Amino acid sequence: MNTAAGVIIEVEGEPGQCDRFEKELPYAIPAPGRIETQSVNAVTPLGETDFRIESSVQGERSVTPIPPDVAVCRDCVRELLDPANRRYLYPFTTCTLCGPRFTVVRSFPYDRERTSMADFTMCPDCSREYATPDDRRFHSQTNSCSVCGPRVTLVDPEGNALHGDPIRETIALLKAGQILGIKGIGGFHLACDASNEKAVALLRQRKGRAEKPFAVMVRDLETVKQYCLVNGAEEILLTSAVAPIVLLEAQGKMLAEGVAPLMGTLGVMLPYTPLHHLLFNHPAIRKNDCPEALVMTSGNRSEEPIVRSDDEALDRLSDLVDAFLLHDREIVLRADDSIFRVIAGQPTVFRRSRGLVPGGFSWAAPSSESDARCKSDPSSVVILGAGGDLKNALAVIKGDQVVPGPHVGDLASPVAQDYFKQSVEVLTGYLEAVPGVIAVDPHPEYFSNSLAREAEIPVEEVFHHYAHAVSLLFQERLSGPALFAVFDGTGYGTDGTIWGGEFLIADRSTFSRAGHLELFALPGGEAAIREPVRILAGLLADDGVLPEKFFPLMGECKDRVKFWLEALKKGLNCPMTSSAGRLFDAAAAAVGYTRSVTYEGQAAMWLEGMAAKEEDGEYPVRCTHRGKTLVVDSSALILSVARDMLNATQPGIASARFHNSMARAVVQTVGHLAERTGIRVVGLTGGCFQNKILTERTKALLDANGFHVLLHGTIPPNDGGIAIGQAVAARSRRNGRVS
Ligand code: ZN
Ligand code: ZN
Ligand code: FE
């Protein structure tokens, strides 16, 4: 029986048989179905021997009743390409195991009449499938065919229909180097041929996106392997029902250089809708005349949310594209493509969105005894975590469910701020939850902070880096205390300065700052973030003067250095920070990145991309006590990189040594803290731990020193994860004890 709280299964038999049933059940469920939590109760046997499904019952929902969107399944693709099948070339084919879910929901619970599929009445053939218990479309809420279902249309940028078969014409336009706006599952993509240098350059120019890498969709796994190195875990991710973007090491054949300039990695996904499959593998078009790889970047203007409706696309994207491939199934809820990277052998989510939302986590560990207090007290206050201002995503805790919302993005634009407010409504509406508390980042200039306060309900402030730490504790279902290295770009610290290279001792309700990277200056403030060589100059300066020997490291900027340093000496617009992200930027500058960055993390990603993997040398790390606080000498590290480069060391070697030294700095610092506190559990969190080399080397050193290391997996290490940390910390604090 289906209930609002989940499925109830009643079985009768000998104890051994019942045990076997319980053991084998999880493996008998076809993907993407799975058991999130379960509980087993003994009932009195009734002597029943038949199998039946009782009709569903309504009631208080306690688990997520809407499944996430699912990539098209193999059987549906086979039918799509089979001329004898009635769904041959039908671009919206789905079945009970695949298709859109979350993104078509208008209201709850999930049934066809409350989705955007309600606009299409099933034809007799589809109705028959829907009603036939052994059909693979039995009770498939999105069931449709070319007779009764949604249709595609190809229009010009003004919305006028274009002639010809829309999909075949789209393929031809893409092959001819044009840019298409393609409506998908959770929003629009901007697409162009990823092997066409001119088309990619045009897309960059129109979108105003200088160098930030584009994600690509590649025909199939075999083709991905021609362009990238793919290991087992990456292959499983790429071909999973989530079908996310996976960051892979580029190797072999090359796409257009403009796809991911200066990077050693490529963000790759496989086709995940029937429509995508037709674009790459149209059975009526020769293979060479179909694209092999397409840039498929979110259809938005710079950092705004992804565009969802046809009207919005015509309004906001028409000057970016040569044509739109539209369809008439409404996208109700937005969901960007999710992003993963495999780090230390473990899939690590960087962006939790399509295919994952609205899936939640239970407060207690899966399959362990649930937290009695949460179970027995559904009235415990609902908490909304408002997240940060970059990579924003929300999270709600209701009862024993912790539910993150989809990726909202950067809150700088008014469009994004509107989307933030909508997301609050969608998430709380869907959970039938009225937040009693909002947990926010106390950064005084954060929109997420001021927008959350508009709601006029009690606010709990949770500091940025502490929220990162708690998100990881929660992911591991640990109470703490644990030691944390929190390395990221910037976050507001308890002393009002910009933190970002922090060592915390934290449990779920309190923390202390036990150490940090030595503060250094950002000459010119924001300008230093855009031009990392300024940070380098500040770190190498000796009493306000850059020693002449370092001039060769300044590239084209030599003549401007003295102005920066004068300002630094006078303390003009030179905020101090302990940010690990900015220290990586400075190291990148020392190794040769003397140009400007065009997006957050570019210099550090460049530095990671060039690191020589086999190099195991490192620079001396100085870690000193200042009172009870441990301070890692950041300028000594950068000085070592600079000297190494002046000694004609290969950039790749210097880069690897810097990574190794940062790993060493973590091990040394937590070594001291472990001695003092006896804590042997170490969490690595913050956006810098998206760096695979840094994370893997730090983990290896910690492992070798007998620490238990926590790495991010199901919750992002970047700011996309902090809403969960905020909400969990706020709840624990209010409970007045560690839970
Ligand atoms: Zn299917
Ligand atoms: Zn039909
Ligand atoms: Fe952060």
Side-chain angles (χ1 to χ4, degrees):
M1 174 169 63
N2 270 311
T3 76
V7 175
I8 296 175
I9 301 173
E10 217 176 271
V11 293
E12 283 193 38
E14 299 298 322
Q17 294 174 306
C18 292
D19 284 350
R20 222 186 103 200
F21 178 86
E22 194 192 335
K23 272 204 198 79
E24 291 182 6
L25 180 65
Y27 303 98
I29 298 170
R34 67 195 166 95
I35 298 176
E36 283 189 347
T37 56
Q38 63 174 21
S39 60
V40 182
N41 299 310
V43 291
T44 315
L46 300 172
E48 289 180 315
T49 55
D50 62 330
F51 173 81
R52 64 177 193 276
I53 301 175
E54 307 246 304
S55 46
S56 305
V57 295
Q58 305 291 318
E60 172 81 9
R61 274 191 280 120
S62 63
V63 290
T64 54
I66 304 172
D69 302 305
V70 185
V72 61
C73 76
R74 255 178 223 217
D75 287 340
C76 285
V77 173
R78 193 173 31 74
E79 290 181 358
L80 173 76
L81 305 177
D82 172 9
N85 192 278
R86 75 181 192 92
R87 287 192 176 83
Y88 180 54
L89 302 185
Y90 175 56
F92 301 98
T93 181
T94 66
C95 69
T96 14
L97 297 183
C98 78
R101 301 285 190 270
F102 173 74
T103 52
V104 295
V105 167
R106 286 185 176 139
S107 64
F108 322 105
Y110 172 70
D111 266 314
R112 187 181 182 104
E113 71 243 42
R114 286 177 292 271
T115 70
S116 55
M117 285 306 290
D119 304 352
F120 307 93
T121 307
M122 273 188 273
C123 69
D125 283 339
C126 286
S127 301
R128 197 173 312 116
E129 291 164 344
Y130 185 87
T132 307
D134 57 0
D135 193 282
R136 56 183 208 90
R137 294 187 170 86
F138 177 56
H139 276 209
S140 167
Q141 306 299 343
T142 50
N143 196 26
S144 66
C145 70
S146 54
V147 174
C148 62
R151 279 156 209 245
V152 285
T153 45
L154 185 67
V155 302
D156 69 13
E158 280 72 51
N160 306 304
L162 295 171
H163 293 294
D165 176 86
I167 295 174
R168 299 184 64 157
E169 287 304 314
T170 297
I171 294 168
L173 292 175
L174 288 166
K175 282 298 272 187
Q178 303 220 335
I179 295 167
L180 273 281
I182 299 179
K183 187 175 178 182
I185 293 273
F188 276 72
H189 281 116
L190 297 173
C192 73
D193 185 345
S195 54
N196 184 331
E197 203 71 68
K198 264 189 173 159
V200 175
L202 185 65
L203 176 56
R204 287 207 174 275
Q205 184 203 330
R206 288 191 189 164
K207 213 186 170 194
R209 175 152 150 161
E211 291 172 331
K212 192 173 178 183
F214 284 137
V216 291
M217 184 177 280
V218 176
R219 177 180 287 155
D220 51 32
L221 188 61
E222 293 319 301
T223 314
V224 175
K225 288 177 177 173
Q226 294 171 18
Y227 291 94
C228 299
L229 210 60
V230 185
N231 69 27
E234 289 159 346
E235 185 167 327
I236 289 169
L237 273 175
L238 283 167
T239 56
S240 70
V242 177
I245 296 167
V246 182
L247 290 184
L248 300 172
E249 193 177 323
Q251 192 189 333
K253 267 168 79 178
M254 298 274 286
L255 292 169
E257 215 186 328
V259 170
L262 306 173
M263 287 299 136
T265 52
L266 215 48
V268 179
M269 59 185 150
L270 290 173
Y272 59 81
T273 70
L275 176 63
H276 295 153
H277 279 275
L278 291 176
L279 293 179
F280 290 99
N281 263 323
H282 200 293
I285 299 180
R286 287 192 334 181
K287 220 170 187 168
N288 282 344
D289 293 331
C290 288
E292 192 175 68
L294 290 174
V295 166
M296 287 286 256
T297 186
S298 297
N300 56 9
R301 303 194 77 94
S302 59
E303 299 299 328
E304 290 179 5
I306 191 167
V307 163
R308 175 178 68 89
S309 71
D310 296 5
D311 288 347
E312 215 182 328
L314 290 166
D315 181 40
R316 305 196 67 76
L317 302 179
S318 63
D319 55 334
L320 307 184
V321 304
D322 299 302
F324 285 110
L325 182 61
L326 305 176
H327 59 70
D328 55 357
R329 182 183 67 207
E330 187 198 354
I331 298 171
V332 183
L333 300 173
R334 279 177 247 248
D336 276 80
D337 295 312
S338 293
I339 305 177
F340 279 84
R341 187 176 196 182
V342 174
I343 297 178
Q346 173 171 308
T348 309
V349 71
F350 284 7
R351 184 204 277 166
R352 273 187 62 88
S353 221
R354 178 188 48 78
L356 296 170
V357 291
F361 306 96
S362 65
W363 183 258
S367 81
S368 85
E369 270 308 300
S370 274
D371 185 313
R373 180 180 36 75
C374 294
K375 275 279 184 211
S376 60
D377 184 14
S379 67
S380 72
V381 62
V382 172
I383 298 176
L384 172 71
D389 266 27
L390 297 174
K391 297 188 166 70
N392 182 276
L394 305 160
V396 168
I397 302 184
K398 182 195 179 193
D400 74 340
Q401 287 289 296
V402 180
V403 184
H407 172 75
V408 174
D410 298 353
L411 298 185
S413 69
V415 186
Q417 291 160 23
D418 279 347
Y419 181 32
F420 173 88
K421 291 180 204 166
Q422 279 168 29
S423 298
V424 173
E425 275 166 40
V426 169
L427 194 59
T428 54
Y430 140 74
L431 290 168
E432 294 173 342
V434 182
V437 170
I438 301 192
V440 302
D441 189 313
H443 195 306
E445 281 155 32
Y446 264 13
F447 292 106
S448 55
N449 184 347
S450 47
L451 290 170
R453 283 172 200 274
E454 285 174 14
E456 296 188 340
I457 54 178
V459 165
E460 288 272 358
E461 295 188 333
V462 181
F463 278 91
H464 189 99
H465 299 97
Y466 175 51
H468 275 302
V470 178
S471 75
L472 185 51
L473 276 179
F474 173 72
Q475 179 196 285
E476 298 299 306
R477 302 301 192 282
L478 296 173
S479 307
L483 308 173
F484 289 91
V486 191
F487 284 3
D488 72 354
T490 51
Y492 185 73
T494 51
D495 55 3
T497 65
I498 310 166
W499 289 13
E502 312 307 313
F503 296 97
L504 308 182
I505 302 171
D507 63 25
R508 286 197 189 188
S509 43
T510 66
F511 79 102
S512 63
R513 187 194 203 193
H516 56 83
L517 299 180
E518 177 65 297
L519 299 176
F520 53 92
L522 302 176
E526 287 293 314
I529 296 174
R530 285 193 302 274
E531 209 173 16
V533 67
R534 288 169 180 255
I535 309 174
L536 175 66
L539 279 157
L540 296 178
D542 195 357
D543 200 22
V545 181
L546 185 70
E548 199 144 322
K549 62 177 174 185
F550 292 128
F551 272 62
L553 299 176
M554 296 291 121
E556 311 278 273
C557 309
K558 279 198 271 309
D559 304 332
R560 292 190 291 144
V561 170
K562 62 172 182 294
F563 300 112
W564 304 337
L565 295 181
E566 262 165 39
L568 178 60
K569 222 172 167 182
K570 292 178 188 148
L572 293 172
N573 192 21
C574 289
M576 302 296 285
T577 184
S578 54
S579 164
R582 299 291 87 81
L583 199 66
F584 267 90
D585 288 351
V591 173
Y593 193 100
T594 53
R595 51 204 294 282
S596 297
V597 303
T598 65
Y599 60 92
E600 153 94 61
Q602 183 176 17
M605 283 162 70
W606 173 86
L607 187 68
E608 181 194 352
M610 71 152 55
K613 292 205 187 69
E614 62 291 346
E615 172 62 26
D616 57 6
E618 50 188 75
Y619 305 119
V621 174
R622 288 218 337 249
C623 182
T624 51
H625 290 264
R626 189 174 299 158
K628 280 189 91 178
T629 307
L630 286 159
V631 181
V632 176
D633 190 338
S634 35
S635 63
L637 275 174
I638 297 301
L639 212 60
S640 297
V641 183
R643 289 209 189 99
D644 219 5
M645 288 305 294
L646 292 176
N647 284 336
T649 300
Q650 290 292 319
I653 301 287
S655 166
R657 289 177 181 165
F658 177 72
H659 281 84
N660 297 342
S661 310
M662 290 298 279
R664 178 66 62 191
V666 173
V667 178
Q668 276 194 16
T669 310
V670 303
H672 285 298
L673 297 176
E675 257 171 49
R676 189 201 300 165
T677 60
I679 302 170
R680 305 292 299 173
V681 180
V682 181
L684 305 180
T685 184
C688 291
F689 288 106
Q690 295 175 115
N691 180 322
K692 185 175 156 88
I693 293 179
L694 173 69
T695 309
E696 291 180 348
R697 299 203 171 180
T698 309
K699 177 174 164 32
L701 283 182
L702 288 167
D703 283 346
N705 283 274
F707 287 99
H708 176 54
V709 183
L710 314 178
L711 297 182
H712 278 274
T714 54
I715 295 175
N718 58 46
D719 286 5
I722 69 172
I724 294 176
Q726 290 168 345
V728 171
R731 177 185 215 163
S732 303
R733 205 184 285 167
R734 292 180 73 85
N735 285 344
R737 62 183 175 91
V738 179
S739 47

